[in-house]
Amino acid sequence: MRIKIIAILFLSAGMICWGKTVSLAECIRRGIANNLSVENARIDINKSRTGITQNRSRLLPVINGIFQFTDYLKQPVNVTTGTLLGNDFPENPTWQTIRSMQYNVNAGVQLNVPLYNQSIYASIDVAETVEHLGRLSYDKAVEDLTMQIGKVYYLAQSSLEQTVLADENIARMQELCGITEAMYEQGVVLEVDLNRARINLQNLKAQRDQFSMLYEQQINMLRFLLDLAPEDRIEVQRMPRDIVRINISGISHALPELRMATMQKELIDRKITAIKAGYIPTISLTGYAGALGYQDKFNHFFHTKASSQNWFGNCFIGLNVSIPIFDAGSKKLQIRQHRYDAEQAINRAEILQDKIRTDYSNALRQLDHNIEVFQTQSQSYRLACDVFKVTEEQYREGVSSMTAILQDEMQLRTAQSARTQAHCLFNLAQLELLRLSDNLSALSNCSK
């Protein structure tokens, strides 16, 4: 029982640990380590490395064991001229026939060694390019995952901040309802004013529930990106009070998508080279060592005396030279198709570069705009707080009306929401600029 209790305490401690607040850097590190999409990209790298090894293995000798049994249903006949056999044969001396055995067995070992085959070397170059593309695909998968985690994290921060502000607004409205109810009992205000306060309170509670539900959905999405179990509880950090701008160095030319576009063109060139290598003759060394056995009856193979006879050695070594002469234009058409693909790859690379420049310019403008909006709304929020305090005090004294205080409270909530939204949009724009400048690693390397 004592061991069970200790085990339960350890499990509970682990679950409580997951319920703690996690930083964006920790989420990114956990996502890269656990996400299945990134794991698939790692597997693709291993597959491409295996492809390189597979093509290199074609340069090694190939040894095959051969065993062949033949039963000629009709006894085979060899034809030769009588001049080679002499006059001992009773048949026409011009044509003489030699009947062979009905059964024969061929057993041996065959060796093939490629001495010169340019197609194999070209295939190795293609496989190495594919492996490089696999590494770039992994980098792109990490980049995409980092962007997804960053966006969900910042949106969850915004929802959490809106929820906290909604709680503050509800507390403030509950206090206002209490004041209004006391004033109504004293006959200072009308019942319609009390109802207005209660309606606003219910609306705030409904809004708070909406923000809370949105936050839970975003936490679930974050949990999915990190490949965590549903019972693992995590919380995001509170949104900082002020925005923090990171220095951006400009558009990077080492972005995974740009390198992939360049590598796609290089891969097509390597494929064209591999096809052209098919026009070059190939040379290989071949060798064989074995024996041929003949019997006129099948059961003689199993008799010691009979099977020991009629066996003949068969051993040779030689060179095979394969010279391509005519392939009906197949290679030429393949090269033409790949050249079309190369032109398309060049166009896609140019389109991608233009898109990246446009995205960078838009994100930079969005960042500057959100900084200005955040500063403006922060000032408006402070002013709205001061105005509400004055109006609330005047309402307590019976100088201000319910309509005025509700209007000032709505302006306060509007400034709160606009300030939080501007902060979130600033984070998202800065996240996009970090991606375009190839500085997303700064998010996962920053302190928790």
Side-chain angles (χ1 to χ4, degrees):
M1 180 61 69
R2 185 179 305 169
I3 295 175
K4 290 182 179 180
I5 294 175
I6 294 174
I8 292 173
L9 290 176
F10 272 112
L11 291 175
S12 301
M15 293 179 66
I16 293 173
C17 180
W18 269 112
K20 293 182 179 179
T21 301
V22 292
S23 66
L24 175 58
E26 184 178 358
C27 288
I28 294 174
R29 288 193 291 266
R30 287 183 181 272
I32 295 175
N34 300 335
N35 188 266
L36 296 181
S37 297
V38 176
E39 180 62 25
N40 282 337
R42 294 192 190 100
I43 295 174
D44 287 336
I45 294 177
N46 294 331
K47 288 172 60 179
S48 58
R49 288 174 179 170
T50 304
I52 296 176
T53 305
Q54 181 180 5
N55 281 279
R56 286 176 177 172
S57 65
R58 295 169 58 190
L59 296 172
L60 301 176
V62 177
I63 301 175
N64 295 317
I66 296 176
F67 177 84
Q68 181 181 7
F69 171 79
T70 305
D71 179 4
Y72 293 99
L73 300 180
K74 186 175 182 180
Q75 194 172 10
V77 175
N78 292 328
V79 180
T80 184
T81 61
T83 57
L84 297 176
L85 300 175
N87 297 323
D88 295 333
F89 292 85
E91 299 173 348
N92 187 342
T94 305
W95 299 100
Q96 298 290 344
T97 59
I98 302 175
R99 297 189 179 276
S100 182
M101 299 292 182
Q102 182 178 355
Y103 304 97
N104 71 57
V105 174
N106 181 15
V109 177
Q110 186 177 16
L111 171 69
N112 287 308
V113 182
L115 300 180
Y116 179 78
N117 193 330
Q118 195 64 31
S119 296
I120 297 178
Y121 296 104
S123 299
I124 294 174
D125 291 339
V126 171
E128 290 177 346
T129 306
V130 172
E131 192 265 342
H132 195 179
L133 271 174
R135 292 198 301 268
L136 293 178
S137 298
Y138 172 79
D139 294 340
K140 188 67 173 68
V142 171
E143 178 190 272
D144 292 342
L145 178 64
T146 303
M147 289 292 294
Q148 290 177 344
I149 292 176
K151 289 179 180 179
V152 174
Y153 193 93
Y154 288 140
L155 291 173
Q157 271 190 331
S158 177
S159 299
L160 177 61
E161 190 69 18
Q162 295 281 18
T163 303
V164 174
L165 293 175
D167 289 334
E168 296 177 359
N169 295 333
I170 289 173
R172 184 169 54 249
M173 187 58 64
Q174 286 176 341
E175 182 181 359
L176 181 60
C177 285
I179 297 172
T180 305
E181 187 173 358
M183 296 174 66
Y184 170 73
E185 292 176 353
Q186 296 175 2
V188 179
V189 298
L190 299 176
E191 183 179 2
V192 66
D193 293 331
L194 179 59
N195 291 335
R196 287 174 180 171
R198 289 174 176 174
I199 291 172
N200 276 271
L201 179 60
Q202 294 300 323
N203 291 336
L204 287 175
K205 289 181 179 180
Q207 189 179 47
R208 196 269 180 198
D209 293 339
Q210 183 179 3
F211 286 135
S212 179
M213 179 189 66
L214 183 61
Y215 175 70
E216 288 297 327
Q217 291 175 344
Q218 291 159 347
I219 288 296
N220 288 335
M221 177 57 69
L222 187 62
R223 192 182 292 111
F224 166 76
L225 294 174
L226 303 184
D227 194 28
L228 300 179
E231 59 271 13
D232 293 334
R233 298 298 304 170
I234 57 174
E235 304 289 341
V236 300
Q237 292 178 336
R238 284 285 304 276
M239 184 176 284
R241 297 183 63 86
D242 201 358
I243 57 177
V244 179
R245 184 165 183 172
I246 302 176
N247 292 328
I248 307 298
S249 58
I251 299 176
S252 173
H253 297 288
L255 294 175
E257 54 263 45
L258 289 177
R259 290 185 291 165
M260 288 177 66
T262 303
M263 192 58 59
Q264 287 287 353
K265 173 63 169 57
E266 184 176 346
L267 177 61
I268 295 173
D269 293 338
R270 296 286 176 87
K271 288 182 178 180
I272 294 176
T273 303
I275 295 174
K276 289 181 178 180
Y279 290 112
I280 303 175
T282 60
I283 303 174
S284 61
L285 174 68
T286 182
Y288 179 83
L292 286 170
Y294 296 92
Q295 295 294 342
D296 56 349
K297 294 183 179 181
F298 180 74
N299 59 353
H300 286 180
F301 284 109
F302 305 100
H303 293 298
T304 305
K305 184 177 180 180
S307 62
S308 63
Q309 301 174 359
N310 300 332
W311 282 94
F312 306 93
N314 185 15
C315 183
F316 65 86
I317 186 171
L319 288 176
N320 284 338
V321 180
S322 177
I323 303 175
I325 297 177
F326 179 70
D327 63 352
S330 175
K331 296 183 182 64
K332 181 179 180 181
L333 294 176
Q334 289 180 2
I335 292 174
R336 185 182 300 175
Q337 291 287 350
H338 284 307
R339 284 175 176 167
Y340 291 146
D341 294 337
E343 293 178 4
Q344 290 180 335
I346 294 174
N347 293 335
R348 285 193 295 267
E350 293 180 358
I351 293 173
L352 181 61
Q353 290 177 351
D354 293 340
K355 182 179 182 301
I356 288 176
R357 285 193 291 267
T358 302
D359 292 343
Y360 183 85
S361 178
N362 291 337
L364 192 60
R365 289 191 180 93
Q366 186 70 34
L367 185 72
D368 295 336
H369 173 71
N370 291 325
I371 291 175
E372 183 178 352
V373 173
F374 177 82
Q375 294 173 349
T376 301
Q377 295 300 330
S378 297
Q379 184 178 3
S380 299
Y381 176 66
R382 290 189 293 268
L383 294 176
C385 288
D386 295 339
V387 171
F388 179 80
K389 290 179 181 178
V390 173
T391 306
E392 184 182 22
E393 185 65 26
Q394 292 177 349
Y395 179 76
R396 292 173 183 269
E397 297 174 355
V399 177
S400 180
S401 64
M402 173 59 70
T403 302
I405 194 171
L406 291 179
Q407 184 177 2
D408 291 343
E409 196 275 338
M410 182 178 296
Q411 291 178 350
L412 175 60
R413 287 190 284 115
T414 301
Q416 284 179 344
S417 178
R419 180 179 181 273
T420 303
Q421 184 178 7
H423 197 163
C424 180
L425 293 176
F426 164 83
N427 289 334
L428 294 178
Q430 184 165 253
L431 180 66
E432 179 68 11
L433 288 174
L434 287 174
R435 182 187 74 83
L436 296 175
S437 61
D438 198 24
N439 287 321
L440 283 176
S441 57
L443 297 177
S444 57
N445 295 332
C446 62
S447 59
K448 298 181 181 179

